[in-house]
Amino acid sequence: MKKLAAAVLAFCLLGGGFGAKAITIISSNVTFFVNDPGLFSPVCEVSTAVHIIRGTDDDFFFLNDSYFMGVTDATGTVGVNNLGAPNPAQQRAVQVGVTTAGLGFIDRTDLATPKYLTVWEGVEDPLSPGSFIPGAVVFQEQIPQALIQANCQGSNQAPVADAGIDQLQVVPGSSVTLNGSGSSDPDNDTLSYLWTQVSGPTVTLSNPSSASPTFVAPGGTGGTPLVFQLVVNDGAVSSVADTVSIGVQDNVLAARSAIAGFLPERATLLLAQQPDIQRRIDRLQGRSGGQATMTRGRSRGPDGLPVSLDVNGGQATVRSSLRQGNPDSRFDVWFEGSRSDFRFGAREGNLTLAYVGADYTFGDTALVGVMGQYDLMDYKAAVTQGVTGGEGWMVGPYATVRLAGDIFLDVRAAAGESRNQIRPFGTYEDRFDTRRTLLSASLLGEHEISSGIILRTDASVNYLQETQKSYVDSLGSTIPGADFEFGQVSAAPRVMMSYDLSRNWILRPYLEARGIYSFGDAAGVPGGDTTRLRGEAGFDLFSLQGHRLSLSGYYDGIGVSSYRATGVRLTASLTF
């Protein structure tokens, strides 16, 4: 019997039993104590100055009631137990007539959130008869934050440095911000910062002692990343260094790549837009003019000038007559101009090309002359990165020789320079120059297939050598020079039909289809296409007196998806 009574008493002391249990709160003005067990404990202990709970028994036979208590946030969510593991609460048994001091634990790693001592009434677990779980909150009192901070710090813990995430593809010349704001201290101490560059081209930080210093990304890195380390200090202990890598794009490589992409594009347009040879063949054959040229003509005024100028009072009148040509002259001055719109991949723009020249014939066997060329290439406003445009000139001799019958050889040589604008990253702009040399040769033949219909065939080789001069860019980096070679081999049939008009004028429309094969550096247009087709249609209008006007339109890039060029050209010549 004594053993049974002892067992019942022990069961009751542990909180077992049946029916409702009750507790009474006897204090609402609690004085707390916070005890720090030491460095190796994950928690601090909380107790009260007085016993705040008095046990009562509303059931006969039972000697104690159950309750639960713990340190929580304002919502009643508990912290950890004295082993550092999550704990729903600390269970206590209250003996009838005896008061008990509060007890709980504070997680040392979470001291900033307000803490409360919370007490729950113990209720029987419906799923486990004889066991108890926390029920309603019967008491909650905030633990003073100052008390926690003063008594739950333990030994000072080292802060943690965070230098931020790596930054890749930074544009040279731009401002870069380092970010150490993610650094932290377990004790919530105020941090100081120290940034140091450990590798890469040397730069100057705006403020190495700030959380977020800045610097200007340098040029000439060659793709070598810049590495910085951050150390933070909480006033007593320094952190382990953390590093961050800043990858700066290679401005030298970017400039060279942009130039190597631009020069083949311009060469593609220039080599396909050589001045038309038909005018020279017409001269050797005794015709008054030729295709793709603005006809020669002469209007005789005073002193043999092709124009006359009359001044009468304040009025000036200029007169010119196309009825007075000089078909027997051996000297001819001509002009040719063209304008084309082009697209290379996603890059679009236009090319303005002008030729001016003069030549002299030696009977019907040879013609020699000299010509100058000006070209202006502009990309549309949407093209803000890479080479954005350029202009250039070339000058040199040319000759056309009759080999036999209606077979002719035409050759041309020219040399000159260009000046170009480049924005490798769409930010700063530089200029670079080139020297260039052009060689061209064509073999042509004509055959009258029926009255008034002439078939002209030709095979041509055009070669352009361009040397980009070295220069120093806006970032102080030297962009080395480079040599480029471009070439095109082409062949074309041209069908021409002559119509006699009134007053000795002849109209000669024509159609031409030219196949083009590209070779040399970066051969072909973007996409690697080396073969394409170019179509042209136009007319020559000339008179037996030696006047000539030609107009044509063309489409280049047939059979190639990544390239297109369309335009018109006008040619005129004047005989003296």
Side-chain angles (χ1 to χ4, degrees):
M1 181 63 97
K2 291 183 179 180
K3 292 183 178 180
L4 176 61
V8 171
L9 179 61
F11 177 73
C12 294
L13 289 175
L14 291 174
F18 301 93
K21 301 295 180 181
I23 56 176
T24 301
I25 305 300
I26 65 172
S27 175
S28 60
N29 184 17
V30 180
T31 300
F32 290 99
F33 294 100
V34 177
N35 178 44
D36 185 354
L39 176 63
F40 298 104
S41 174
V43 296
C44 296
E45 297 177 346
V46 179
S47 60
T48 60
V50 298
H51 293 187
I52 63 170
I53 299 175
R54 182 187 298 275
T56 62
D57 190 358
D58 53 8
D59 291 317
F60 179 75
F61 181 76
F62 295 102
L63 302 179
N64 55 44
D65 293 321
S66 292
Y67 72 93
F68 295 83
M69 69 165 45
V71 176
T72 73
D73 60 17
T75 67
T77 301
V78 299
V80 298
N81 59 21
N82 58 345
L83 300 177
N87 183 22
Q90 283 74 46
Q91 185 176 0
R92 294 289 179 269
V94 179
Q95 187 176 0
V96 175
V98 178
T99 59
T100 303
L103 185 63
F105 303 97
I106 295 178
D107 183 354
R108 195 197 299 273
T109 63
D110 180 26
L111 302 182
T113 305
K115 302 295 187 298
Y116 295 80
L117 178 65
T118 301
V119 179
W120 297 268
E121 181 181 14
V123 296
E124 191 170 12
D125 186 352
L127 300 179
S128 180
S131 300
F132 293 86
I133 59 175
V137 173
V138 295
F139 180 79
Q140 189 176 65
E141 183 83 12
Q142 183 174 0
I143 304 170
Q145 191 69 19
L147 185 68
I148 296 175
Q149 294 292 337
N151 297 282
C152 196
Q153 294 291 345
S155 300
N156 184 55
Q157 302 178 72
V160 178
D162 184 350
I165 62 174
D166 295 341
Q167 301 181 46
L168 306 176
Q169 301 299 312
V170 171
V171 173
S174 64
S175 178
V176 180
T177 301
L178 302 178
N179 184 8
S181 61
S183 302
S184 60
D185 183 72
D187 307 318
N188 295 313
D189 293 328
T190 301
L191 298 177
S192 61
Y193 300 82
L194 180 62
W195 291 90
T196 307
Q197 184 176 0
V198 296
S199 67
T202 302
V203 298
T204 300
L205 294 177
S206 60
N207 184 1
S209 299
S210 69
S212 301
T214 63
F215 68 93
V216 176
T221 65
T224 301
L226 285 68
V227 179
F228 300 86
Q229 75 171 20
L230 171 64
V231 175
V232 295
N233 187 282
D234 63 1
V237 180
S238 293
S239 68
V240 175
D242 187 37
T243 61
V244 63
S245 180
I246 310 296
V248 182
Q249 298 184 59
D250 189 340
N251 59 308
V252 176
L253 179 61
R256 297 184 67 181
S257 297
I259 293 171
F262 164 72
L263 294 182
E265 293 178 357
R266 183 167 64 184
T268 297
L269 296 166
L270 293 182
L271 292 179
Q273 283 289 84
Q274 294 300 298
D276 193 79
I277 305 171
Q278 187 62 44
R279 183 193 64 85
R280 297 172 228 171
I281 296 176
D282 287 344
R283 293 201 68 201
L284 293 180
Q285 290 184 328
R287 304 186 187 115
S288 63
Q291 127 65 18
T293 44
M294 191 179 153
T295 357
R296 58 196 170 199
R298 182 172 180 180
S299 161
R300 296 190 181 276
D303 301 322
L305 294 175
V307 295
S308 62
L309 174 65
D310 296 330
V311 180
N312 184 8
Q315 184 176 6
T317 304
V318 178
R319 296 186 179 88
S320 176
S321 174
L322 293 179
R323 294 188 177 185
Q324 301 181 40
N326 185 7
D328 298 325
S329 175
R330 294 178 178 274
F331 185 69
D332 198 40
V333 175
W334 59 274
F335 165 82
E336 180 176 297
S338 66
R339 168 85 173 192
S340 62
D341 294 320
F342 62 82
R343 174 181 60 83
F344 290 96
R347 292 164 58 87
E348 299 184 10
N350 55 73
L351 173 72
T352 301
L353 181 60
Y355 294 99
V356 61
D359 50 53
Y360 187 85
T361 57
F362 296 88
D364 62 354
T365 59
L367 175 150
V368 295
V370 63
M371 75 173 74
Q373 167 189 326
Y374 171 79
D375 53 272
L376 175 63
M377 187 169 175
D378 280 320
Y379 290 93
K380 292 185 177 179
V383 179
T384 59
Q385 186 170 333
V387 178
T388 58
E391 61 178 340
W393 61 270
M394 286 191 288
V395 65
Y398 62 92
T400 306
V401 178
R402 183 193 295 268
L403 299 179
D406 291 326
I407 300 176
F408 302 88
L409 175 66
D410 184 88
V411 294
R412 177 194 172 200
E417 295 184 346
S418 76
R419 186 169 179 81
N420 314 277
Q421 300 82 46
I422 180 172
R423 304 179 71 186
F425 304 101
T427 50
Y428 61 88
E429 181 174 286
D430 295 313
R431 295 182 179 273
F432 69 93
D433 299 334
T434 71
R435 294 188 304 270
R436 49 190 183 175
T437 302
L438 180 134
L439 299 173
S440 177
S442 299
L443 184 65
L444 305 96
E446 287 191 355
H447 175 67
E448 187 172 1
I449 57 178
S450 65
S451 178
I453 301 178
I454 298 175
L455 174 65
R456 192 197 84 181
T457 58
D458 74 76
S460 303
V461 179
N462 299 317
Y463 170 83
L464 177 65
Q465 191 275 335
E466 195 154 12
T467 299
Q468 172 239 320
K469 301 178 183 179
S470 65
Y471 67 97
V472 178
D473 70 4
S474 297
L475 303 178
S477 301
T478 298
I479 311 301
D483 293 324
F484 299 88
E485 294 181 338
F486 313 103
Q488 289 182 358
V489 176
S490 67
R494 172 181 290 191
V495 178
M496 301 178 288
M497 296 170 287
S498 295
Y499 297 95
D500 290 335
L501 305 178
S502 60
R503 297 184 181 181
N504 296 321
W505 285 90
I506 297 175
L507 177 66
R508 186 173 63 189
Y510 70 89
L511 291 173
E512 177 183 288
R514 182 173 297 275
I516 300 174
Y517 171 77
S518 300
F519 64 92
D521 294 325
V525 295
D529 299 298
T530 58
T531 305
R532 68 183 193 276
L533 187 66
R534 180 182 185 275
E536 184 171 347
F539 67 86
D540 303 323
L541 180 64
F542 54 91
S543 73
L544 299 180
Q545 286 75 31
H547 313 300
R548 185 183 182 89
L549 177 68
S550 296
L551 181 66
S552 67
Y554 53 87
Y555 186 101
D556 194 358
I558 301 172
V560 177
S561 61
S562 57
Y563 166 65
R564 182 209 67 217
T566 59
V568 296
R569 66 175 171 179
L570 174 71
T571 316
S573 64
L574 184 65
T575 302
F576 288 91

